[in-house]
Amino acid sequence: MNRTALFFILPAILLLIDWYVFQAVKTLSRSATESTQRIITIAFWGFTALSLVLYVIMQLLPPDSISRNTRTFLWAAIAIPYFSKIFAVLIILIDDIGRFFRWIVSLFYKPEVREAVEDSTRQTMPATDTITRSDFLMKTALVVGAVPLVGFTWGIVSGAHDYRIRRIKLPLKNLPSGFNGMTIAQISDIHSGSFFNKTAVKGGVEMLLGQKPDMVFFTGDLVNSHAEEVNSYIDIFNKVKAPLGVYSTLGNHDYGKYVQWPSAQAERQNVMNVVAAHKQMGWNIMMDENKILEQNGDKIALIGVQNLGFGPAALRAGNLAKAYEGTQDYPVKLLLSHDPTHWDAEVRPKYPDIDVQFSGHTHGAQFGVDLGDVRWSPAQYFYKQWAGLYQDGDQRLYVNRGYGYIGYPGRVGILPEITIFELVKA
């Protein structure tokens, strides 16, 4: 479908959704006064008009004429209400289908029976206080439609920066005594180009520093696409320090593959600028390399690779064989690798002596249920490992739920995460 056709088809679909939902609004407001009905009608269709005007403006304006954050919020202001209305449409459709089939059946009865059936399908006010089936479904439709509207709005207002600290013990059978009890903080998927509340972002960093970890890992996606997105947040993230250092790697978004660049050189320069931002913040970025960590006379290996994803259309830029070289003789190996699909595709089958892989990438879809052992998210239909700790034999994978967000500027149920690991001798 070409862009011109989509320009006209999408508004038509939105109008159809609004017309359908308005039938429920009109039904439930019929007992109101005429002036109240007029106000309801103006308010309902006024929002429709505003949404369509915003849609047209964003289609016609050059992409860089308004900020990315403003564009994201404008799209959210359109998409969230209509997404909610789709749920209302499904409920209303149940009533319409039922009335349609009752009308079909009535065609085969005598006129007096048909008239009685047709009367039952008309949306007339009941003679008693008993609610009719149609009224019940109309009210249900509006309530069902309101739930995601309120939920996703609250996810922007509150969930986007509601940072949660998760504590995980990592028992490692070959852990040297010098590292027993060492703590590691992990954050992932900052997506600085999406932030809209700098104070809240700073608050999350202060929460991390308050844990006083011995070491910090960042597992990729510092930006959405452009290196300059992080510029105004460098003075926040450069505060992230730890006695044994901060180690980081790149995620799929850091390569700028989701925008069109004027040249291949411009694209390469953007990646170099992202790498430079890591260094400017004092982070040790690991580009297919390893670092031997020493503590109390004992040593373990830290390995970091560029993005290695193995899902459909996933980005593969790293080289684990190169990064692994030279770590063979160390008793414990920790791996920073952005995409959790790397674990099953290469780490487990080829590198059984890599003890733990630290990843991010999925965000837990920024939506779902995450209460103790009760966990559900749309992410689980796309990723076998999508949030939390996974184990196979002596090997472990941890998938961080992410510090930031992209697309939808909020989180519902799956909240932003700061993970604190404690290494213990198994």
Side-chain angles (χ1 to χ4, degrees), residues 202-262:
K202 181 181 178 182
V205 169
E206 291 171 349
M207 285 177 65
L208 186 158
L209 295 176
Q211 300 302 305
K212 295 181 170 55
D214 297 308
M215 189 161 48
V216 177
F217 293 161
F218 171 68
T219 45
D221 278 359
L222 181 63
V223 299
N224 293 344
S225 292
H226 297 85
E228 62 266 22
E229 293 168 2
V230 75
N231 289 350
S232 59
Y233 289 90
I234 286 178
D235 63 338
I236 292 178
F237 290 108
N238 66 7
K239 302 297 189 300
V240 177
K241 307 289 184 186
L244 295 182
V246 180
Y247 297 89
S248 60
T249 190
L250 298 181
N252 54 308
H253 279 269
D254 295 319
Y255 297 88
K257 293 294 185 182
Y258 307 108
V259 296
Q260 188 170 358
W261 297 95

Side-chain angles (χ1 to χ4, degrees), residues 77-276:
I78 297 173
I80 292 174
Y82 279 100
F83 177 76
S84 302
K85 288 175 184 177
I86 289 173
F87 289 91
V89 166
L90 295 176
I91 301 298
I92 300 170
L93 195 60
I94 293 174
D95 183 51
D96 283 349
I97 291 173
R99 290 193 292 119
F100 173 75
F101 277 106
R102 289 198 301 273
W103 176 76
I104 291 293
V105 170
S106 73
L107 297 179
F108 298 94
Y109 288 94
K110 296 178 180 180
E112 59 271 19
V113 176
R114 184 187 311 151
E115 184 178 350
V117 174
E118 288 175 347
D119 284 342
S120 72
T121 67
R122 296 190 188 111
Q123 298 182 17
T124 56
M125 289 295 292
T128 68
D129 292 335
T130 304
I131 186 171
T132 66
R133 180 176 178 275
S134 287
D135 279 2
F136 172 77
L137 288 173
M138 296 301 108
K139 289 180 179 178
T140 301
L142 295 184
V143 170
V144 168
V147 169
L149 175 62
V150 172
F152 280 105
T153 302
W154 182 248
I156 297 173
V157 174
S158 176
H161 302 102
D162 189 7
Y163 302 106
R164 298 300 174 95
I165 292 175
R166 293 179 179 269
R167 303 181 190 280
I168 306 292
K169 282 187 181 291
L170 288 178
L172 306 176
K173 68 176 184 178
N174 296 321
L175 185 70
S177 59
F179 286 87
N180 190 45
M182 188 183 80
T183 57
I184 302 170
Q186 183 197 6
I187 57 174
S188 191
D189 300 85
I190 284 174
H191 288 288
S192 50
S194 297
F195 287 143
F196 60 88
N197 188 335
K198 195 170 184 179
T199 300
V201 174
K202 181 181 178 182
V205 169
E206 291 171 349
M207 285 177 65
L208 186 158
L209 295 176
Q211 300 302 305
K212 295 181 170 55
D214 297 308
M215 189 161 48
V216 177
F217 293 161
F218 171 68
T219 45
D221 278 359
L222 181 63
V223 299
N224 293 344
S225 292
H226 297 85
E228 62 266 22
E229 293 168 2
V230 75
N231 289 350
S232 59
Y233 289 90
I234 286 178
D235 63 338
I236 292 178
F237 290 108
N238 66 7
K239 302 297 189 300
V240 177
K241 307 289 184 186
L244 295 182
V246 180
Y247 297 89
S248 60
T249 190
L250 298 181
N252 54 308
H253 279 269
D254 295 319
Y255 297 88
K257 293 294 185 182
Y258 307 108
V259 296
Q260 188 170 358
W261 297 95
S263 66
Q265 175 56 35
E267 184 177 335
R268 286 193 297 270
Q269 184 61 52
N270 184 71
V271 179
M272 293 169 61
N273 291 344
V274 173
V275 171

Side-chain angles (χ1 to χ4, degrees), residues 326-345:
T327 67
Q328 291 89 334
D329 296 332
Y330 293 93
V332 167
K333 302 172 185 66
L334 308 178
L335 171 66
L336 306 186
S337 181
H338 176 71
D339 194 320
T341 60
H342 186 205
W343 195 55
D344 277 337

Side-chain angles (χ1 to χ4, degrees), residues 60-81:
L60 297 180
L61 282 178
D64 296 330
S65 59
I66 56 177
S67 70
R68 294 186 184 93
N69 278 349
T70 300
R71 186 176 289 272
T72 297
F73 275 97
L74 289 177
W75 276 120
I78 297 173
I80 292 174

